[in-house]
Amino acid sequence: MSTNDDDLSTRLGSLPKEAEPARDLWPGIEARILDGRTVIPARRRASALLRLAAALLIFVSGLAVGHVWGRNAATSDSAARRHPLAAAEEVQRTGTEYVAAVAALREETRSEVRTQGREAAFSTLYGAAHELARQSPNDADASQLLNSASRARGRSIRF
Amino acid sequence: MAAAAPLPQPDPSEMLVARARRGDQRAFEELYRLHHRRIYALALRMTRDPGRAEEMTQEAFVTAWGALPSFRGESAFGTWLHGLAVRVILRQVRSDRRWEERNEAAADLAGYLSEARRAMPETSLALERAIASLPDGARTVLVLHDVEGYKYEEIARLLGVALGTVKAQLHRARRLVMEALEA
């Protein structure tokens, strides 16, 4: 490399490496990031909360029925027997819906609705933990999860 | 008693990256605020078109958001992001027919220089003009090597060309820039 080349390289290397765009580019990036996510638009928030409440109702009803019929579970035609992955897929699918409904609470501006949603969310979490602990009474993790969920539910519910 | 060695200063991006990897959009916005000027300057010199440079900067960050799970911290986040942005910009430039049309339009140079003056007031407009006047391949290599500090091997890998091609392009680019400055 000649002296001229050295000089040119130095000059090129000292050119500014940062430039401020004329406008804020973040809103466009944010919109595209959100497009790629499972985001519940505002108009669907109310229905999401309703679905959460309905899911809770169905879950609690199912829990009660399960307690009555639990002893006969071994002879029932379970989802897992119909298809090896059906039960796991069902848990995952409904779990995803549950998480999406809870996530929608972030967008809710009415504090009362948010509080109700949190109560429902903790109750559902407690219900799931209860069921896991019931299925595996000796599982320490399940017991710990049930205790935590029970405390959280107790704190979240208004009397 | 010997003085305690100073604790290493944590990279401000590290915590933000960790949060962004967990889906924290606000953390990713902070990363954008820290790094977007670097990416925009690169895109501006590569495209010579402020509008396309904005689009490609956005594209680079959207791509980075999607690629965050693959970031393993083996390099600094800024380095990783810059490399990703180079690939995004090169891909866009190659596939953008409109860009090729603009590439031959003399009016673009004035627009580029106007934006360079606004966005980088301390820059040398004579150098920017000389760089912007280079043919596509020569300009890309010169910007990546002499301005951004990439090594020959890295540029060859990014462009998918032989090492000798990169060196030849750089030699040609420097000669043309020198001629432009002396004219």
Side-chain angles (χ1 to χ4, degrees):
Chain A
M1 191 184 280
S2 69
T3 307
N4 280 346
D5 276 352
D6 283 342
D7 179 51
L8 179 62
S9 287
T10 304
R11 290 180 65 189
L12 289 167
S14 62
L15 284 174
K17 293 175 182 55
E18 295 195 345
E20 185 70 54
R23 62 187 177 94
D24 187 1
L25 305 179
W26 174 252
I29 296 167
E30 185 178 38
R32 289 184 57 193
I33 286 173
L34 288 174
D35 277 349
R37 280 182 171 184
T38 308
V39 172
I40 299 175
R43 64 179 179 277
R44 288 174 53 201
R45 280 176 213 147
S47 64
L49 289 172
L50 282 175
R51 284 203 308 276
L52 176 61
L56 179 62
L57 183 65
I58 291 167
F59 182 84
V60 171
S61 304
L63 196 64
V65 171
H67 275 300
V68 174
W69 289 357
R71 292 183 187 280
N72 298 324
T75 58
S76 69
D77 182 20
S78 69
R81 188 166 295 172
R82 287 195 302 275
H83 186 281
L85 295 176
E89 285 173 355
E90 179 68 3
V91 170
Q92 187 164 33
R93 186 185 63 76
T94 53
T96 302
E97 287 181 1
Y98 168 76
V99 172
V102 174
L105 294 174
R106 279 187 310 202
E107 310 294 326
E108 180 56 59
T109 53
R110 293 165 297 181
S111 64
E112 189 177 329
V113 176
R114 259 203 326 269
T115 304
Q116 288 169 351
R118 280 176 61 83
E119 285 176 16
F122 277 121
S123 292
T124 306
L125 200 60
Y126 168 78
H130 183 274
E131 186 59 30
L132 284 171
R134 195 172 72 87
Q135 289 176 19
S136 307
N138 298 323
D139 185 335
D141 289 336
S143 298
Q144 196 173 355
L145 182 63
L146 178 60
N147 289 335
S148 298
S150 178
R151 281 197 303 275
R153 185 183 68 149
R155 281 196 295 267
S156 75
I157 293 176
R158 296 170 303 169
F159 293 99
Chain B
M1 192 170 70
L7 291 171
Q9 293 298 307
D11 179 351
S13 293
E14 277 182 21
M15 286 298 293
L16 292 172
V17 170
R19 283 170 50 202
R21 277 169 61 98
R22 292 195 295 268
D24 186 333
Q25 195 184 309
R26 293 278 77 82
F28 191 64
E29 181 180 357
E30 289 293 312
L31 288 169
Y32 164 80
R33 302 281 172 212
L34 284 171
H35 296 280
H36 74 280
R37 292 175 201 83
R38 188 88 203 275
I39 305 304
Y40 180 68
L42 170 74
L44 188 60
R45 287 197 176 103
M46 297 276 269
T47 63
R48 301 174 294 181
D49 180 330
R52 286 297 285 150
E54 288 180 357
E55 290 168 10
M56 290 183 189
T57 300
Q58 289 179 319
E59 183 68 28
F61 277 93
V62 171
T63 304
W65 171 258
L68 266 179
S70 69
F71 175 64
R72 304 191 189 288
E74 290 160 353
S75 60
F77 174 76
T79 306
W80 175 81
L81 175 68
H82 202 273
L84 181 146
V86 169
R87 288 190 290 275
V88 167
I89 292 165
L90 287 173
R91 189 179 64 219
Q92 296 268 319
V93 163
R94 281 173 184 150
S95 65
D96 192 346
R97 187 176 296 169
R98 288 179 304 150
W99 179 87
E100 289 175 7
E101 290 165 0
R102 289 193 193 108
N103 199 22
E104 295 172 4
D108 281 341
L109 191 57
Y112 167 73
L113 290 173
S114 171
E115 173 65 359
R117 187 184 295 115
R118 185 204 64 77
M120 302 178 285
E122 71 277 30
T123 198
S124 159
L125 285 180
L127 260 183
E128 296 287 357
R129 183 193 301 274
I131 295 169
S133 300
L134 290 171
D136 184 21
R139 191 181 67 260
T140 297
V141 171
L142 183 96
V143 168
L144 290 178
H145 187 277
D146 282 353
V147 181
E148 299 292 345
Y150 280 76
K151 296 183 173 67
Y152 292 123
E153 295 80 5
E154 293 171 324
I155 297 170
R157 199 164 51 245
L158 284 165
L159 296 178
V161 298
L163 198 61
T165 305
V166 173
K167 290 180 178 177
Q169 288 275 31
L170 185 62
H171 179 75
R172 178 178 177 229
R174 284 174 176 162
R175 181 175 53 78
L176 290 171
V177 167
M178 293 284 279
E179 288 174 7
L181 291 174
E182 289 165 2

